[in-house]
Structure formats: C-alpha cells, structure tokens
DNA sequence: GCGTGTCCTTGACGCGGGTCAAGAAGGCGA
DNA sequence: TCGCCTTCTTGACCCGCGTCAAGGACACGC
C-alpha cells in the first residue's frame, strides 16, 4: 500500500498480458495497475480460502497457483492450474459471492490483487472489454466442465488423457517412439489426476502391460498414440 | 423461420425474464425475440449434443432441461437443471467453442434459440448489459464448482445435501417433523445425484437407520435438520 | 565402500458403490 | 378380485481405488 507499490513494472506487464481485458487501452491497464496490491508469496502459501467473501480478483504475475478443493476427509481435487497472466477467483469476485474453492502457490508466486469495483469501473470506461471478459469466463467454464467430466473416468483413462495431451505439447519423436517428459514428479502428477502415487503407479503399469507406453524415470515413451487418444477420449474443443 | 415465428408472446416474455440481460431495454429484448428460433419439444428430446459447434444459445421459455454428460460406459452425470428464463449452452456459445455437455428435455419444453452474433450485437447496443451477463456466467461457474465438489462426497452425503436444500425450499412443518416432497421419482433423483436407484435406496436406508429422516413414498419427514446440514456440508454462498 | 535420505513400486486388505437378479409394494384396468 | 406393469427395495457379488506396510532404486555425503 505504500506509494512504491503503485507501479511495479512486472505487475504492469502481468496485467497487460492478462486475457481478461486483452483489448483494453494501455492507459486503462495502467490505471488498474495503480490500484493493484502486489504480493510476493513463497511456494505452498495459501492465497484463497474456500468460503471467504470474494472481494478481490487476483492476477498471477509470475509463478503457478493451484485451485483445489479439500474434501471433508482431507482429500484434494485440483480443478485448475493458473499461470502468468491468468486470473484467480475472478469468477467469485465478479459474481460477488464467496470463493468456491481454495488456492495455493505451487511455486513462488507474485500476484496482483484488484478490487472488484476497479474491474467494473474498467468495464464502464471501455465497454468493448466486456467481450474479452465474457469470452474468458465462458471458456473457463468449458474447461471446468471438462474437469468434471474427467472425474467420471477411471485412473488409467485420466492418465491416458493427460499423456495424450502432454504428447501434443512436448512430445519428441525418437526411433523408439514418442518421448514425453512428464514435467513433474509422479506424486505431483498423481495429485493433479485426483489420485495417489500408488494408484498412479498401477495405472502406469496397466498402460505398459497393454503395450501402449514404456515407462522411464521422469518421462514415458508412447508406443501407440491412437490407443492413448481412444482411452482418454474426452471432447476437444475446436 | 416463418414470419409467424417472429413474435411469439410466450417467447418474448421468456426472453424478457432471462437474467442474462436483465437490465436490457424492452426494445432490445424485442429485437432479440424477433431473431429467435422457437422450438417446442417433447419430453426426452435431445437439445444439445456434446461436441457439436456451439453456434446458438438457448433460453428456456417453458419446461425443464437437464445438462448432463454421458461417460464412455453410458453412465450419466447431471450437471445442472435449467428452468424458465435460464440459458442453455450460453457458455459455449459465448466462448465460440463446442458444447461441453449434452442437454435433454426433462419435461415438454419450449426453447428459444438465439444466434451468438445477436447476443454480441445486443452487448454493443447496450454495454451495461455486459455486467448482467458477466455476473450470471460467474455465478454459474460458482454453482458448477459446487457440483464438482459434490462429486467428491459419498452418496448418503449427497442425498443429505439435496434433502437439506430441498427442505429450505419446500419443507412444511408438521407434528411429526419437517415434511419434504421429493418432487420427482426416486429413479430421477438417483440420476440427479449421479448414482443408481439401488444405491439411493441404501442411502435412504442409512439416513433412516441413523434417525435423521423417515422415508415415505414420494416424500420424506426430516427429524434432524441439523444432522442433515452437517452431513451435506457444502459451502453456501452469501 | 556404507549409511540415510527421497521417491517410486508392489502386495494385502477394506470399503464404497455399481451390476445382476430376485422379491415387495403399490396403482389400474378388466 | 385378479392379473399385470411399473417402481422401489434387498441381497449377493465384483471391481476400482485408497490405505497400510514393506521393499526396491537412486542420489547424496562421508
């Protein structure tokens, strides 16, 4: 809240990159940045607690946050991973309700908090921004449906789906097959898929026995991409 | 598409009641209504098929529709029940993607289809409508998070939650306790809770054994509202 | 070489819940 | 009153997956 907060260049750049107001003028974004409260948090810090009134909307400037829900038994489902330029709790803040899920920093994190009112003021100044905002909220909701859909699949299917999508992004062709780096520890992957390491391990075992993949330490070799796609059959958007 | 479609009074009233553009002027709503394609469908008809390009947005004029997802094994999860004045597939249409879930008519249904472009044109004519639209999308997303959350509870908990919420709406105090009409067959209720009649029946049995409710044919008597609320503990928004 | 971490895998077990199949328990027309 | 159909319940069984507990496998330091 000191005057030195007013214009951190990284925060300004982060807000400028935010898709929620992609078409807003630089001037408006700068005004937004001046009202932002910027926080630097260590890995593991709690950003948002489920059930609290959503007064502000966060934009991730650097790092990754994880949106999740803790069940009564302490089990955790991860809904979404939020990275630079994306918003946190936008939904609840705009709906003027309470946060429907919690969020933690998955890495050291810089986040800019904007008051709900400021965002509405931006909309009044530049009505065309509404279209950006609406498109973003809507596609977020679509992504969400996909998560809920995935919860109805069993673990090997969810793993197949993850591997298929990951192979599209970071797969490298090799003589042995398509090499895919997992990009995280298996324990983390298990949590992302809504399961535990033991079960994930068995899912890897199953795909391997079926001849679909070969398992390495921090990567897998995909032998049959088609089978992977079929197993993880979700509905890809156009 | 005939000119007689242009201004069905029920469609006009339904669109006027739609929260998505609550603050729009009557004139704008009438213009919207003139472009709408109105359909009358029998119970059970398929409105939207998962994966199809979302070109239009539906508004329910009369009846109830059910948004659901069919798993590979034919199992069905119901995400949402949409009633008069609410929108169908708004999300996907506004995000210009594909429908992320399917929808069926749960009762005989009248629905008005609006082209995406018409909605965007309305936004340009009346920018203040964006705020309504954003608030609605956002609260929809919050509701959705709650559904996903509920999927991590077991069946008796989901049932308790349903009964608790239903008792708030239609509960009637009687000497024996709080009488709650289910309002649908137990098979339908089972589907809404993402389970099958057999398991629902056992869940009723469990709540009854625990002294929380008494089970009647098409209603239940709630003996211990507190226990119900505790079991179905979700996160109510403010 | 030998501890001592961390991370991953493997087996045994229990529980929730879906499926199958066989009864109850009503409507409802003849 | 008697079928007869639909809806709901009950029991038996199986499967997926989470938990607990016991090993590997590999990296560190000494």
């Amino acid at each position: 809240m000191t005057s030195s907060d007013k214009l951190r260049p990284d925060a300004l750049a982060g807000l400028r990159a935010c898709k929620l107001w992609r078409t807003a003028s630089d001037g408006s974004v700068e005004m937004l940045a001046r009202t932002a409260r910027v926080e630097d948090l260590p890995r593991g810090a709690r950003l948002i607690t489920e059930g609290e009134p959503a007064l502000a909307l966060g934009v991730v400037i650097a790092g990754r946050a994880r949106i999740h829900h803790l069940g009564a038994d302490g089990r955790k489902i991860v809904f979404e991973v939020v990275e630079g330029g994306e918003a946190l709790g936008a939904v609840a803040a705009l709906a003027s309700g309470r946060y429907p899920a919690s969020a933690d920093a998955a890495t050291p994190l810089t986040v800019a908090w904007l008051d709900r009112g400021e965002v509405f003021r931006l909309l009044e100044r530049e009505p065309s921004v509404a279209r950006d905002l609406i498109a973003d909220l809507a596609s977020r909701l679509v992504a969400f449906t996909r998560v809920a859909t995935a919860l109805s699949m069993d673990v090997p299917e969810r793993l197949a789906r993850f591997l298929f999508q990951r192979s599209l992004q970071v797969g490298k062709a090799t003589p042995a097959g398509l090499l895919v780096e997992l990009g995280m520890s298996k324990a983390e992957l298990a949590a992302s898929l809504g399961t535990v390491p033991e079960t994930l391990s068995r899912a890897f075992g199953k795909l391997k026995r079926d001849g679909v993949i070969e398992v390495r330490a921090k990567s897998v070799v995909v032998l049959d991409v088609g089978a992977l796609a079929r197993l993880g059959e979700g509905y890809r958007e156009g």
Side-chain angles (χ1 to χ4, degrees), chain A:
Chain A
M1 291 297 155
T2 69
S3 66
S4 65
D5 281 350
K6 274 191 172 174
L7 256 179
R8 274 180 55 165
D10 58 343
L12 179 57
L15 289 173
R16 176 67 281 184
C18 182
K19 281 174 307 198
L20 286 180
W21 34 78
R22 210 188 43 216
T23 65
S25 69
D26 289 341
S28 291
V29 174
E30 199 182 313
M31 284 177 69
L32 218 50
R34 283 185 194 282
T35 68
R37 184 166 49 82
V38 181
E39 263 182 341
D40 292 292
L41 297 160
R43 183 187 144 121
R46 164 65 48 98
L47 290 158
I48 286 178
T49 303
E50 184 163 349
E52 288 186 349
L55 305 173
L57 172 162
V59 174
V60 174
I61 305 299
R64 281 208 317 268
R66 233 194 286 273
I67 314 285
H68 56 82
H69 167 77
L70 291 169
D73 50 357
R75 304 204 346 76
K76 183 162 146 178
I77 357 176
V78 175
F79 290 146
E80 204 179 353
V81 174
V82 179
E83 296 182 290
E86 295 177 339
L88 271 171
V91 178
L94 295 170
S96 52
R98 288 162 187 274
Y99 294 115
S102 302
D104 283 348
T107 66
L109 190 74
T110 304
V111 59
W113 293 104
L114 300 170
D115 193 79
R116 310 174 41 221
E118 295 302 327
V119 178
F120 285 127
R121 249 189 292 291
L122 167 64
L123 283 181
E124 275 152 28
R125 269 201 308 278
E126 298 195 40
S128 67
V129 170
R131 203 157 155 170
D132 298 339
L133 227 164
I134 288 168
D136 184 273
L137 282 183
S139 60
R140 189 176 287 259
L141 196 34
V142 170
F144 215 84
T145 310
R146 229 172 291 126
V147 171
T149 295
L151 288 177
S152 73
M153 305 198 278
D154 68 15
V155 174
E157 284 168 345
R158 291 192 308 240
L159 173 58
R161 180 194 168 112
F162 167 83
L163 289 176
F164 176 67
Q165 294 189 2
R166 181 116 188 126
S167 73
L168 295 180
Q169 287 169 22
V170 301
K172 285 190 188 59
T174 70
L178 193 57
L179 182 72
V180 180
E181 300 283 337
L182 297 179
M184 60 181 109
S185 78
K186 291 187 178 168
E188 280 181 298
L189 176 55
S192 298
L193 297 178
T195 184
V196 293
E198 293 94 319
T199 301
L200 175 64
S201 188
R202 288 183 238 271
F204 269 120
K206 182 177 191 320
L207 292 184
K208 186 166 139 194
R209 266 201 314 286
D210 294 351
V212 180
I213 60 170
E214 252 166 44
V215 184
R216 302 257 221 270
K218 294 217 157 316
S219 61
V220 304
V221 177
V222 178
L223 305 176
D224 184 347
V225 192
L228 218 50
R230 239 171 296 121
L231 270 171
E233 201 145 78
Y235 308 83
R236 276 159 291 295
E237 80 283 8

